[in-house]
Amino acid sequence: MHLALTTVLLWAWGGLQAFEIVEKENIFQKTPCPAFLMFENAAYLADMSFELPCHCKPEEVPAVVWFYQKHLGSSHTKVLTDFDGRVLTEAAQVRVGSDMLTRFSIRMFSLLVFRAQPEDSGLYFCGTRKGDYFYAYDVDIQNSEGMVATFQDEGQEPFADEYYGHLHVFTTFWEWTPCDRCGVRGEQWRIGLCYLQSPDLSPRYLKAVSHVVSCGSRAVPRKLQTKARHHTPELLVRSCIVPCEKTKTIREGVLAIINYVSKVGSRPWVPQVPIQFHQQRLGHGLIISCPGARPEHAVAWDKDRQHLYRTQYLKGVNRSMRVFIDHGNQLHIRFTQLDDRGIYYCWRQGVRVAGFRLGVTSHGRYPASLSDPETRSAVELTLIGYLFITAVFVTIHLCCCCCYFFQCCPNFSP
């Protein structure tokens, strides 16, 4: 009797669970779209990649098309679609400075934008080919050029909040990144973006907190945007130390080679990470990127056994820096010198992932190209010098002509 009762109870419980799952699926499928189109505010830093999900869609619509407008009601609208033969874009194939039409993908009704730039700020609509909109976003891409770094170890404090009457301008920080190195002293940081609070915001824009949006939102009137323009994004940096996980990084094929060479009598040096060799000509610039890293990742750089900490090598710490790390985690070497030779190791999310062996040579043919920054700088300086000499030449002759016609020059003849 007890066994039969227990069986009935288990069957009923399983039926209730199945009923619960079916109900949740039906609710998700029948989520209604808002009758009045609203804009969800989202803010990102330049060079980041972001995803915009299409949260609601009628069941009879098999595919969505995304639209982009710079301002609400603009006559110029970009149509973003992966159909009609467009190939899905991969993040590794995106080049800096390319147009947004080559930096996006649509996957499972969500829009992915790679390496976003401040020019990509605007309104994004999820809809159909006919122009029926279901969901919309107000995206604010904040420029990283004026980003200010604050180092907690040196006692520095973030920007203070600003108040202009009912307008409150402040910085909202993201979560701390993982420690960028393990086993030694590392660094971690958090990105802070500009936000403001005001009762004068447009009611058509969705806000996570009442009367609070990012500073570049379309909900902010133009007169308020001018007051918040000088509040730039921030980067908060502090020291950290975490132990390394014990992992077996040497493959079986490499072990076989080591064992064979060891029998001969000498054990070779085997790198712990893949090493790429690059030959650079003396005096030219170089930019090194960490494989698979994004601007929001915790990335660190070492030269041989020297740790390149952001406290000393972050872009903007010193204007005369020849070697520095930009806000996109790339290592820059300006005007390469002979002592730059060595192995540059890259850490990603606390794990050393790659190395770059840099060789510097003063010989060899190096074809000049306008795509080379040094060549462009030389051409610009030459043109500026010619324009300056031409301006001085013309000015002197104009003065001589004025003196000749108006007889305003003194006569030094006896």
Side-chain angles (χ1 to χ4, degrees), residues 19-63:
F19 178 78
E20 236 180 283
I21 294 173
V22 171
E23 282 297 314
K24 288 181 180 178
E25 288 180 353
N26 289 339
I27 290 174
F28 176 77
Q29 291 176 357
K30 296 181 179 180
T31 302
C33 292
F36 187 74
L37 191 64
M38 302 287 288
F39 297 92
E40 181 179 342
N41 179 237
Y44 304 94
L45 191 66
D47 287 330
M48 284 186 174
S49 301
F50 61 88
E51 178 182 358
L52 303 179
C54 190
H55 286 301
C56 69
K57 176 187 69 66
E59 294 185 34
E60 61 272 12
V61 177

Side-chain angles (χ1 to χ4, degrees), residues 14 69 99 105 119 121-123 138 181 203 229 311 329 357:
Q69 286 185 0
D99 187 75
S105 286
E119 296 78 19
S121 300
L123 306 176
D138 166 36
R181 294 176 178 87
R229 185 175 300 169
T311 311
N329 297 324
R357 182 186 292 274

